[in-house]
Amino acid sequence: MKVCVLGAGVAGMTSAYFLWRAGHEVTVVERNAGVGLETSYANGGQLSYSYVAPLAGPGVLPKLPPWLMRRDSPLRFSPRLDYHQWRFCIQFVLACSASQSALTTRRLLRLSFYSRRLMHEMVGHETLDFDYVKNGKLVFYSDEASFRGAVATMDYQRSLGCEQEALDRDGCVAIEPALSHIAHEIAGGIYTPSEDAGDCYQFCRSLERVMRSGPNPVRFELDTQVTALLHDGRSITSVETNRHPVAADSYVVTLGAQSVFLLRPVGIDPSIYPLKGYSLTLPIANGSAAPFVSITDHKRKVVYARLGEELRVAGLADITNYRNDLDPERIQVLVKQARDTFPEGADFSHIKTWCGLRPATPEGTPVLGRTRYDNLLLNIGHGALGFTLACGCGKIMADMASGREPEISLEGFTLG
């Protein structure tokens, strides 16, 4: 069967990979000159299979007023005359309940554990070069109340299959000695040895090399902007682009935050809005002063991942617009926090900066599966978990396109 995948970020590349491995004739359409060049390009690098609790939670609402008023806040809101932005924000607030957060966490853990298994199988089967490492993850907390809440969450997640350990200050420093100079700021931490890390952009490029080789290679239509979905009744007949139409038997939409502009004209309007995130990539200057374990600063919502000889620093979320232009003020927030946390670990004179649009849903769950059109599948809305969930979501696309039931339940992930 001919399958057209729209988008060559990590969601599109893993969808194409599993479709290709299933024996389909696959074409990937991408507006950029290469794969993985937008939201997947310089993300946080952490494969956080056990840390999938949604941003929308009961503890977030009290923090929103001070967050929205501070220049250095983890979450910033720039209101616009945009119905879809306000719809997202209202639905986000409504999702900030303990019951909804627990339900979303259960759903996401089911998907993330499935994705972890597939990632490990893929790494074992294919020759991929993306600074992949099984290095574990430590989330540290700066106040006792937050740490106690994290311990309660850990106990809940253990019942769902997570293997985690609560550590005191000394335990955190023992796991990651590079934190020793800020030990006085640490109330405790949660350590998960099963977490991984890797360079998402290099992962996409490695998959491209794999899929271009061997029998029945995947066809890549690069520098090709998708402009419209053409349909006849309940079927998509072709995809209009700036170059030529692309026809297939089945279509998979993996265009991230831009997906909504393609879907709304054909009567599909998922509640997805971009959360703009930022990152720094710095050369490691002192190996012993840079983290080996993936680190998350819970208070500041900043993540650190060692990728080969570089340190990736990522965080912040701006609810603003669909432009991926850098905000120098937000970059300076990240630079200050990285200097404060690992001052000797990286060369701050050679900083590569980046921002990307995380396609988020209010509840924090991606939108997967079938639509009103028999041959149109969605793989969108992953938020900050695109890399973590990519393999699981890609395999689900391949199973559904092949007429097979997915290996896990899609309850909570399909269009309402």
Side-chain angles (χ1 to χ4, degrees):
M1 183 168 64
K2 294 182 179 180
V3 185
C4 179
V5 177
L6 308 180
V10 70
M13 294 302 286
T14 49
S15 296
Y17 170 82
F18 285 105
L19 285 160
W20 176 62
R21 282 298 182 201
H24 298 296
E25 183 179 333
V26 181
T27 298
V28 177
V29 182
E30 167 58 42
R31 67 179 179 177
N32 291 290
V35 305
L37 289 174
E38 293 196 30
T39 305
S40 300
Y41 182 70
N43 67 12
Q46 295 186 0
L47 290 159
S48 297
Y49 303 108
S50 297
Y51 291 91
V52 295
L55 178 61
V60 171
L61 287 180
K63 298 176 183 177
L64 284 178
W67 273 358
L68 298 178
M69 295 174 64
R70 283 174 25 213
R71 290 179 176 270
D72 63 346
S73 65
L75 179 66
R76 189 174 65 176
F77 175 50
S78 300
R80 296 164 50 84
L81 292 175
D82 181 350
Y83 161 79
H84 296 98
Q85 184 195 57
W86 284 97
R87 179 182 68 172
F88 175 89
C89 291
I90 292 169
Q91 291 175 341
F92 177 86
V93 170
L94 293 175
C96 288
S97 67
S99 59
Q100 182 61 55
S101 179
L103 177 61
T104 300
T105 299
R106 289 199 302 274
R107 290 168 173 168
L108 288 172
L109 284 174
R110 180 174 72 237
L111 180 56
S112 70
F113 290 165
Y114 178 56
S115 192
R116 177 176 62 190
R117 173 169 68 81
L118 292 168
M119 173 64 83
H120 290 175
E121 291 175 359
M122 182 189 290
V123 168
H125 181 72
E126 305 289 359
T127 301
L128 304 174
D129 181 13
F130 63 109
D131 290 320
Y132 176 71
V133 61
K134 297 181 179 181
N135 60 338
K137 175 172 174 173
L138 175 66
V139 180
F140 73 84
Y141 298 81
S142 301
D143 63 87
E144 289 290 343
S146 295
F147 180 50
R148 287 195 299 271
V151 172
T153 300
M154 179 193 71
D155 291 338
Y156 171 67
Q157 293 200 159
R158 273 180 176 168
S159 69
L160 301 175
C162 296
E163 298 177 0
Q164 299 176 307
E165 179 183 2
L167 304 173
D168 61 13
R169 177 184 295 118
D170 292 340
C172 291
V173 174
I175 288 291
E176 183 45 75
L179 292 172
S180 59
H181 70 287
I182 61 165
H184 61 285
E185 300 178 16
I186 299 175
I190 305 296
Y191 175 60
T192 308
S194 59
E195 307 298 75
D196 306 337
D199 187 317
C200 188
Y201 169 62
Q202 294 300 338
F203 177 72
C204 291
R205 292 198 62 191
S206 290
L207 285 182
E208 180 188 13
R209 287 193 293 270
V210 168
M211 290 188 286
R212 284 186 182 273
S213 64
N216 194 30
V218 171
R219 178 184 176 189
F220 286 87
E221 295 265 4
L222 302 176
D223 285 317
T224 304
Q225 174 75 54
V226 177
T227 57
L229 294 171
L230 302 185
H231 60 95
D232 180 10
R234 292 181 57 86
S235 293
I236 302 298
T237 55
S238 66
V239 173
E240 285 289 332
T241 76
N242 62 330
R243 296 173 61 199
H244 53 76
V246 179
D249 302 308
S250 186
Y251 302 82
V252 182
V253 176
T254 66
L255 291 170
Q258 300 297 320
S259 299
V260 296
F261 299 114
L262 189 67
L263 295 172
R264 286 173 190 158
V266 295
I268 301 171
D269 189 14
S271 185
I272 290 174
Y273 202 81
L275 301 183
K276 183 186 291 188
Y278 300 82
S279 80
L280 317 172
T281 305
L282 310 96
I284 290 176
N286 181 344
S288 62
F292 284 90
V293 173
S294 290
I295 298 293
T296 295
D297 180 339
H298 178 267
K299 179 179 179 180
R300 297 175 179 86
K301 300 294 188 289
V302 176
V303 302
Y304 302 85
R306 189 172 187 143
L307 304 176
E309 296 303 314
E310 295 182 319
L311 180 64
R312 178 68 49 79
V313 184
L316 310 180
D318 291 353
I319 306 174
T320 173
N321 53 44
Y322 286 86
R323 296 195 304 271
N324 61 350
D325 49 329
L326 281 166
D327 183 334
E329 187 174 67
R330 298 297 264 170
I331 290 295
Q332 288 308 308
V333 170
L334 271 190
V335 171
K336 180 181 185 305
Q337 292 173 352
R339 282 185 183 274
D340 290 346
T341 308
F342 299 109
E344 305 298 327
D347 180 356
F348 286 90
S349 66
H350 293 85
I351 301 176
K352 291 182 283 187
T353 60
W354 172 87
C355 73
L357 302 177
R358 310 182 191 105
T361 63
E363 295 83 8
T365 46
V367 180
L368 306 174
R370 304 196 184 282
T371 67
R372 62 194 294 178
Y373 300 96
D374 296 333
N375 60 343
L376 181 66
L377 298 172
L378 303 184
N379 184 6
I380 56 179
H382 308 86
L385 297 173
F387 195 12
T388 296
L389 302 177
C391 287
C393 294
K395 181 61 161 59
I396 287 167
M397 295 300 104
D399 285 342
M400 298 189 80
S402 303
R404 297 189 299 266
E405 283 297 314
E407 295 179 88
I408 67 168
S409 170
L410 294 189
E411 183 268 330
F413 297 113
T414 57
L415 281 174

